[in-house]
Amino acid sequence: MKLYASNVVADWLAVTPRRVRQLRDEGVLVEKAPGLYDLQSCVVRYISYLRKGNGNTNLNDERAMLTRAKREAADMENEERRGNLHRTEDIEKGLAALCLNMRGRFSGLPAKLSGELAQMGGNQAGIHDKLKAAIDEALEELSHFNVAFAIRSGEDEEEDNEPV
């Protein structure tokens, strides 16, 4: 079961994200995790809610909305399989790895350069060049963000998460 954020559910139900939260507070929609919803159950519960409403609900319109929501869900899954859509968890893991790598690289600069800089005897241009080269090297690693986002072997690729 894939979980989706309230803005995605709002798009599929043709309501605003605020209305999704209101429906949640009214007990019409149920969160599976904080801020995350199961699309299928939300659509079913919303249609049921509309049917019980003021009696002016057009059943054909609701069926069309449900069919559209299912098609869009299938389209999103296909885009994810093609690699054009990424799960939020994958992006978060990649960014966390990237930030930790950069933190380590920058934290290691003083230990790596202190001896060399001390021997430069106050040569400001040389110190500047040495620091700039070390920082540029660390930033070059940051420019290869796709390495941090690569799927690691052994990870479960079928986890239920929200697509981005």
Side-chain angles (χ1 to χ4, degrees):
M1 161 181 27
K2 291 195 180 279
L3 300 179
Y4 299 91
S6 61
N7 59 340
V8 175
V9 174
D11 287 343
W12 289 352
L13 297 180
V15 297
T16 64
R18 179 183 169 130
R19 181 65 181 142
V20 170
R21 291 189 301 275
Q22 288 172 342
L23 291 168
R24 177 203 60 206
D25 293 342
E26 294 171 13
V28 175
L29 302 180
V30 178
E31 287 181 320
K32 297 295 183 181
L36 299 175
Y37 301 85
D38 174 31
L39 177 65
Q40 184 177 3
S41 69
C42 285
V43 171
V44 170
R45 291 174 67 95
Y46 185 65
I47 290 173
S48 176
Y49 166 77
L50 291 176
R51 283 184 183 157
K52 294 176 187 174
N54 58 14
N56 295 332
T57 304
N58 183 341
L59 184 58
N60 289 332
D61 290 343
E62 296 302 322
R63 285 185 180 146
M65 285 177 49
L66 178 60
T67 302
R68 186 178 318 116
K70 287 181 179 179
R71 186 193 73 231
E72 289 174 357
D75 288 345
M76 288 180 74
E77 287 181 26
N78 288 336
E79 288 297 312
E80 184 179 358
R81 284 189 197 112
R82 289 185 196 115
N84 297 332
L85 193 65
H86 302 283
R87 294 182 292 170
T88 300
E89 182 181 81
D90 294 340
I91 301 295
E92 289 172 349
K93 283 181 181 178
L95 287 174
L98 189 65
C99 290
L100 287 173
N101 289 343
M102 289 310 299
R103 180 177 180 254
R105 289 293 300 262
F106 283 118
S107 295
L109 286 179
K112 177 181 175 183
L113 298 176
S114 61
E116 293 178 46
L117 296 178
Q119 293 177 358
M120 295 182 126
N123 178 1
Q124 288 185 351
I127 292 172
H128 175 271
D129 291 342
K130 192 69 173 170
L131 285 172
K132 175 131 178 58
I135 291 171
D136 286 345
E137 179 185 335
L139 291 174
E140 177 65 24
E141 182 178 316
L142 176 63
S143 70
H144 300 293
F145 64 91
N146 55 341
V147 173
F149 289 102
I151 296 175
R152 295 166 193 87
S153 62
E155 282 189 346
D156 184 12
E157 296 179 18
E158 295 298 321
E159 293 178 20
D160 294 337
N161 291 303
E162 169 188 294
V164 176

PDB file of all heavy atoms in Angstrom, residues 144-158:
ATOM      1  N   HIS A 144      28.194  15.844  -7.612  1.00  0.00           N
ATOM      2  CA  HIS A 144      27.874  14.487  -8.062  1.00  0.00           C
ATOM      3  C   HIS A 144      26.801  13.893  -7.159  1.00  0.00           C
ATOM      4  O   HIS A 144      26.977  12.836  -6.565  1.00  0.00           O
ATOM      5  CB  HIS A 144      29.131  13.605  -8.062  1.00  0.00           C
ATOM      6  CG  HIS A 144      30.209  14.114  -8.962  1.00  0.00           C
ATOM      7  ND1 HIS A 144      30.080  14.143 -10.325  1.00  0.00           N
ATOM      8  CD2 HIS A 144      31.418  14.671  -8.688  1.00  0.00           C
ATOM      9  CE1 HIS A 144      31.170  14.669 -10.857  1.00  0.00           C
ATOM     10  NE2 HIS A 144      31.994  15.003  -9.881  1.00  0.00           N
ATOM     11  N   PHE A 145      25.661  14.591  -7.071  1.00  0.00           N
ATOM     12  CA  PHE A 145      24.584  14.172  -6.174  1.00  0.00           C
ATOM     13  C   PHE A 145      24.001  12.826  -6.562  1.00  0.00           C
ATOM     14  O   PHE A 145      23.470  12.120  -5.717  1.00  0.00           O
ATOM     15  CB  PHE A 145      23.472  15.223  -6.161  1.00  0.00           C
ATOM     16  CG  PHE A 145      22.788  15.380  -7.488  1.00  0.00           C
ATOM     17  CD1 PHE A 145      21.667  14.638  -7.783  1.00  0.00           C
ATOM     18  CD2 PHE A 145      23.272  16.276  -8.423  1.00  0.00           C
ATOM     19  CE1 PHE A 145      21.036  14.772  -8.997  1.00  0.00           C
ATOM     20  CE2 PHE A 145      22.644  16.415  -9.641  1.00  0.00           C
ATOM     21  CZ  PHE A 145      21.524  15.663  -9.928  1.00  0.00           C
ATOM     22  N   ASN A 146      24.113  12.431  -7.825  1.00  0.00           N
ATOM     23  CA  ASN A 146      23.528  11.158  -8.257  1.00  0.00           C
ATOM     24  C   ASN A 146      24.179   9.962  -7.563  1.00  0.00           C
ATOM     25  O   ASN A 146      23.564   8.919  -7.425  1.00  0.00           O
ATOM     26  CB  ASN A 146      23.596  11.010  -9.775  1.00  0.00           C
ATOM     27  CG  ASN A 146      25.006  11.172 -10.312  1.00  0.00           C
ATOM     28  OD1 ASN A 146      25.875  11.724  -9.655  1.00  0.00           O
ATOM     29  ND2 ASN A 146      25.219  10.709 -11.514  1.00  0.00           N
ATOM     30  N   VAL A 147      25.400  10.099  -7.080  1.00  0.00           N
ATOM     31  CA  VAL A 147      26.056   9.016  -6.356  1.00  0.00           C
ATOM     32  C   VAL A 147      25.329   8.776  -5.032  1.00  0.00           C
ATOM     33  O   VAL A 147      25.103   7.635  -4.637  1.00  0.00           O
ATOM     34  CB  VAL A 147      27.546   9.346  -6.106  1.00  0.00           C
ATOM     35  CG1 VAL A 147      28.193   8.308  -5.219  1.00  0.00           C
ATOM     36  CG2 VAL A 147      28.275   9.463  -7.431  1.00  0.00           C
ATOM     37  N   ALA A 148      24.937   9.866  -4.361  1.00  0.00           N
ATOM     38  CA  ALA A 148      24.238   9.733  -3.086  1.00  0.00           C
ATOM     39  C   ALA A 148      22.847   9.144  -3.274  1.00  0.00           C
ATOM     40  O   ALA A 148      22.308   8.498  -2.382  1.00  0.00           O
ATOM     41  CB  ALA A 148      24.131  11.091  -2.392  1.00  0.00           C
ATOM     42  N   PHE A 149      22.246   9.345  -4.443  1.00  0.00           N
ATOM     43  CA  PHE A 149      20.897   8.861  -4.698  1.00  0.00           C
ATOM     44  C   PHE A 149      20.878   7.470  -5.316  1.00  0.00           C
ATOM     45  O   PHE A 149      19.817   6.920  -5.559  1.00  0.00           O
ATOM     46  CB  PHE A 149      20.143   9.829  -5.610  1.00  0.00           C
ATOM     47  CG  PHE A 149      19.786  11.102  -4.921  1.00  0.00           C
ATOM     48  CD1 PHE A 149      20.508  12.258  -5.132  1.00  0.00           C
ATOM     49  CD2 PHE A 149      18.732  11.142  -4.040  1.00  0.00           C
ATOM     50  CE1 PHE A 149      20.175  13.431  -4.498  1.00  0.00           C
ATOM     51  CE2 PHE A 149      18.391  12.311  -3.391  1.00  0.00           C
ATOM     52  CZ  PHE A 149      19.122  13.457  -3.622  1.00  0.00           C
ATOM     53  N   ALA A 150      22.032   6.900  -5.578  1.00  0.00           N
ATOM     54  CA  ALA A 150      22.077   5.567  -6.184  1.00  0.00           C
ATOM     55  C   ALA A 150      21.483   4.553  -5.218  1.00  0.00           C
ATOM     56  O   ALA A 150      21.664   4.636  -4.013  1.00  0.00           O
ATOM     57  CB  ALA A 150      23.517   5.193  -6.526  1.00  0.00           C
ATOM     58  N   ILE A 151      20.762   3.587  -5.757  1.00  0.00           N
ATOM     59  CA  ILE A 151      20.151   2.551  -4.922  1.00  0.00           C
ATOM     60  C   ILE A 151      21.242   1.609  -4.446  1.00  0.00           C
ATOM     61  O   ILE A 151      22.029   1.084  -5.231  1.00  0.00           O
ATOM     62  CB  ILE A 151      19.079   1.786  -5.706  1.00  0.00           C
ATOM     63  CG1 ILE A 151      17.960   2.739  -6.077  1.00  0.00           C
ATOM     64  CG2 ILE A 151      18.556   0.610  -4.908  1.00  0.00           C
ATOM     65  CD1 ILE A 151      16.904   2.109  -6.964  1.00  0.00           C
ATOM     66  N   ARG A 152      21.275   1.428  -3.140  1.00  0.00           N
ATOM     67  CA  ARG A 152      22.292   0.538  -2.568  1.00  0.00           C
ATOM     68  C   ARG A 152      21.784  -0.896  -2.624  1.00  0.00           C
ATOM     69  O   ARG A 152      20.619  -1.158  -2.405  1.00  0.00           O
ATOM     70  CB  ARG A 152      22.547   0.960  -1.127  1.00  0.00           C
ATOM     71  CG  ARG A 152      23.145   2.346  -1.021  1.00  0.00           C
ATOM     72  CD  ARG A 152      23.058   2.839   0.425  1.00  0.00           C
ATOM     73  NE  ARG A 152      23.334   4.240   0.512  1.00  0.00           N
ATOM     74  CZ  ARG A 152      22.432   5.191   0.361  1.00  0.00           C
ATOM     75  NH1 ARG A 152      21.191   4.910   0.087  1.00  0.00           N
ATOM     76  NH2 ARG A 152      22.758   6.458   0.476  1.00  0.00           N
ATOM     77  N   SER A 153      22.672  -1.818  -2.881  1.00  0.00           N
ATOM     78  CA  SER A 153      22.258  -3.221  -2.919  1.00  0.00           C
ATOM     79  C   SER A 153      21.845  -3.656  -1.531  1.00  0.00           C
ATOM     80  O   SER A 153      22.418  -3.249  -0.535  1.00  0.00           O
ATOM     81  CB  SER A 153      23.408  -4.087  -3.425  1.00  0.00           C
ATOM     82  OG  SER A 153      24.499  -3.985  -2.548  1.00  0.00           O
ATOM     83  N   GLY A 154      20.808  -4.492  -1.485  1.00  0.00           N
ATOM     84  CA  GLY A 154      20.308  -4.972  -0.210  1.00  0.00           C
ATOM     85  C   GLY A 154      19.163  -4.144   0.329  1.00  0.00           C
ATOM     86  O   GLY A 154      18.519  -4.531   1.273  1.00  0.00           O
ATOM     87  N   GLU A 155      18.889  -2.978  -0.252  1.00  0.00           N
ATOM     88  CA  GLU A 155      17.768  -2.182   0.212  1.00  0.00           C
ATOM     89  C   GLU A 155      16.490  -2.712  -0.387  1.00  0.00           C
ATOM     90  O   GLU A 155      16.457  -3.173  -1.518  1.00  0.00           O
ATOM     91  CB  GLU A 155      17.919  -0.716  -0.199  1.00  0.00           C
ATOM     92  CG  GLU A 155      18.884   0.045   0.652  1.00  0.00           C
ATOM     93  CD  GLU A 155      18.839   1.537   0.352  1.00  0.00           C
ATOM     94  OE1 GLU A 155      18.262   1.929  -0.664  1.00  0.00           O
ATOM     95  OE2 GLU A 155      19.395   2.270   1.154  1.00  0.00           O
ATOM     96  N   ASP A 156      15.420  -2.626   0.348  1.00  0.00           N
ATOM     97  CA  ASP A 156      14.121  -3.078  -0.111  1.00  0.00           C
ATOM     98  C   ASP A 156      13.534  -2.008  -1.016  1.00  0.00           C
ATOM     99  O   ASP A 156      13.206  -0.920  -0.577  1.00  0.00           O
ATOM    100  CB  ASP A 156      13.203  -3.334   1.080  1.00  0.00           C
ATOM    101  CG  ASP A 156      11.865  -3.896   0.661  1.00  0.00           C
ATOM    102  OD1 ASP A 156      11.720  -4.304  -0.504  1.00  0.00           O
ATOM    103  OD2 ASP A 156      10.973  -3.929   1.510  1.00  0.00           O
ATOM    104  N   GLU A 157      13.403  -2.313  -2.303  1.00  0.00           N
ATOM    105  CA  GLU A 157      12.916  -1.343  -3.256  1.00  0.00           C
ATOM    106  C   GLU A 157      11.393  -1.314  -3.311  1.00  0.00           C
ATOM    107  O   GLU A 157      10.822  -0.477  -3.975  1.00  0.00           O
ATOM    108  CB  GLU A 157      13.446  -1.651  -4.661  1.00  0.00           C
ATOM    109  CG  GLU A 157      14.929  -1.538  -4.762  1.00  0.00           C
ATOM    110  CD  GLU A 157      15.429  -1.865  -6.153  1.00  0.00           C
ATOM    111  OE1 GLU A 157      14.650  -1.852  -7.106  1.00  0.00           O
ATOM    112  OE2 GLU A 157      16.625  -2.162  -6.264  1.00  0.00           O
ATOM    113  N   GLU A 158      10.719  -2.189  -2.603  1.00  0.00           N
ATOM    114  CA  GLU A 158       9.268  -2.263  -2.669  1.00  0.00           C
ATOM    115  C   GLU A 158       8.603  -1.664  -1.435  1.00  0.00           C
ATOM    116  O   GLU A 158       7.465  -1.976  -1.141  1.00  0.00           O
ATOM    117  CB  GLU A 158       8.844  -3.734  -2.820  1.00  0.00           C
ATOM    118  CG  GLU A 158       9.290  -4.353  -4.114  1.00  0.00           C
ATOM    119  CD  GLU A 158       8.684  -3.672  -5.331  1.00  0.00           C
ATOM    120  OE1 GLU A 158       7.514  -3.289  -5.294  1.00  0.00           O
ATOM    121  OE2 GLU A 158       9.418  -3.502  -6.323  1.00  0.00           O
TER     122      GLU A 158
END
